Amino acid sequence: MNTFTSLLTYLIRCNSDVTSLLSGTAIKAVISYVTDYITKSPLKTYTIFDAVRSIFDKNSEFLNGSSSQKEKARLILTKIVNSLTGKMEIGAPMACAYLLGHKDHYTSHRFEPFSWKSFVREAMRPWHPDNNDNIVGFTDKVTVRKSEDGKYIGISPVFDYIYRPKIYEDVNLYDWIRRSRKKAMSKKRKEELKELQNEEENERNIHIKDEEDNDTQFAAEHPQSKTHEVKLVKEKFGVVPNFIGGQPPRKDQGNREYYCATM
């Protein structure tokens, strides 16, 4: 039986094997074992065929028996999978988690990729409309989709922030990335907005109702203003931005203007 420590098992919430490493040889052996375990190469082709052949050889009498073809196929496939799983050293919990669609890891926070250069490029556009890509070193990528009316529109996270609802005008970019959640409007919501636009009321009433009902709708300039809406979730549900796109500029070297625009 593996040795264990109650405190460590409680903290990491999983099976553990605690060993005292008092020599360099033992440390090297553990490092070699762990490295070999986490970098296991897939089975060779000849190993797979050998496993399949051995299953057929061991169950030749069953295959020639009176059982139905469906039952024979089910049993043989089950034995082949079990044999290959054993050779690949995949544990039953891991295989079950994969089949059930469970996660292979758990974290205390949710991480979301954040391409920060897209926003820096947009911020510098008024001053460098022609030479923006060379300064930032990045070409913005826009996703093209087909809208409900058959037109092709460009979609970018930058648009979501630029044309955000009026009630979120004071939200900074970092909080926006962490807490904003965009979703498609329901059919009922679209009908309500359509009726609101067609109402023949005086300007003051229309303005007041528009402020109440359209508080989560993107600005009219947004390509998805009629099909999507956005809301800010509570602080405890915010994600952690994973900054991608290279290392941010430094204060003590490089282009000073680029650094200031990024900050």
Side-chain angles (χ1 to χ4, degrees):
M1 182 177 179
N2 294 345
T3 54
F4 67 93
T5 301
S6 301
L7 178 60
L8 183 62
T9 303
Y10 172 78
L11 292 175
I12 63 178
R13 304 292 180 90
C14 67
N15 295 335
S16 60
D17 183 2
V18 181
T19 304
S20 178
L21 304 176
L22 302 178
S23 66
T25 303
I27 295 176
K28 292 178 182 178
V30 170
I31 294 176
S32 176
Y33 171 77
V34 173
T35 303
D36 180 67
Y37 189 81
I38 64 178
T39 58
K40 291 181 294 186
S41 58
L43 293 178
K44 303 294 183 182
T45 304
Y46 61 82
T47 305
I48 297 176
F49 281 114
D50 180 66
V52 174
R53 178 186 175 184
S54 64
I55 295 299
F56 276 94
D57 291 342
K58 293 178 182 179
N59 296 273
S60 57
E61 294 183 2
F62 173 75
L63 293 173
N64 296 325
S66 58
S67 301
S68 63
Q69 292 293 332
K70 182 178 180 180
E71 182 64 21
K72 292 178 181 178
R74 186 191 65 80
L75 183 62
I76 292 299
L77 284 177
T78 301
K79 290 189 175 184
I80 290 175
V81 171
N82 290 338
S83 177
L84 294 176
T85 301
K87 292 181 180 297
M88 294 176 65
E89 298 180 358
I90 296 178
M94 180 178 177
C96 291
Y98 175 79
L99 294 175
L100 295 174
H102 294 171
K103 298 180 179 179
D104 58 355
H105 67 282
Y106 297 89
T107 58
S108 58
H109 296 76
R110 177 184 165 193
F111 297 85
E112 288 289 341
F114 171 50
S115 181
W116 59 273
K117 284 190 176 181
S118 301
F119 293 87
V120 177
R121 182 176 183 273
E122 186 65 29
M124 298 183 68
R125 187 188 299 275
W127 292 274
H128 301 279
D130 300 326
N131 197 30
N132 205 348
D133 294 341
N134 295 332
I135 297 176
V136 179
F138 174 81
T139 302
D140 196 10
K141 295 181 180 180
V142 178
T143 303
V144 178
R145 292 183 181 177
K146 193 173 184 180
S147 61
E148 294 182 350
D149 55 2
K151 297 181 180 179
Y152 289 93
I153 57 176
I155 302 173
S156 170
V158 180
F159 296 161
D160 296 345
Y161 184 68
I162 295 176
Y163 304 118
R164 59 192 183 277
K166 290 184 178 180
I167 60 172
Y168 300 139
E169 285 183 347
D170 297 332
V171 178
N172 60 61
L173 178 59
Y174 186 78
D175 287 339
W176 177 263
I177 296 299
R178 292 182 57 251
R179 299 173 54 196
S180 64
R181 299 290 186 274
K182 183 173 73 171
K183 66 176 183 178
M185 293 182 185
S186 62
K187 186 176 180 180
K188 181 180 179 181
R189 174 66 170 163
K190 292 179 183 178
E191 292 176 353
E192 290 176 352
L193 292 176
K194 190 174 182 180
E195 292 177 0
L196 180 64
Q197 295 173 356
N198 295 332
E199 285 181 348
E200 296 181 356
E201 298 181 359
N202 60 65
E203 294 183 1
R204 183 175 182 278
N205 291 337
I206 291 178
H207 177 72
I208 294 175
K209 192 166 186 179
D210 184 68
E211 289 293 330
E212 293 174 350
D213 292 352
N214 296 350
D215 54 354
T216 61
Q217 187 180 14
F218 286 108
E221 296 82 0
H222 194 286
Q224 293 181 312
S225 60
K226 297 182 180 179
T227 59
H228 289 69
E229 58 184 350
V230 64
K231 293 183 179 180
L232 293 189
V233 299
K234 294 181 179 179
E235 181 68 27
K236 63 179 180 179
F237 298 117
V239 301
V240 178
N242 180 20
F243 289 78
I244 60 175
Q247 183 179 0
R250 295 178 53 174
K251 180 180 180 180
D252 56 345
Q253 63 183 21
N255 190 320
R256 177 68 180 178
E257 182 183 7
Y258 178 39
Y259 166 79
C260 294
T262 303
M263 294 301 108

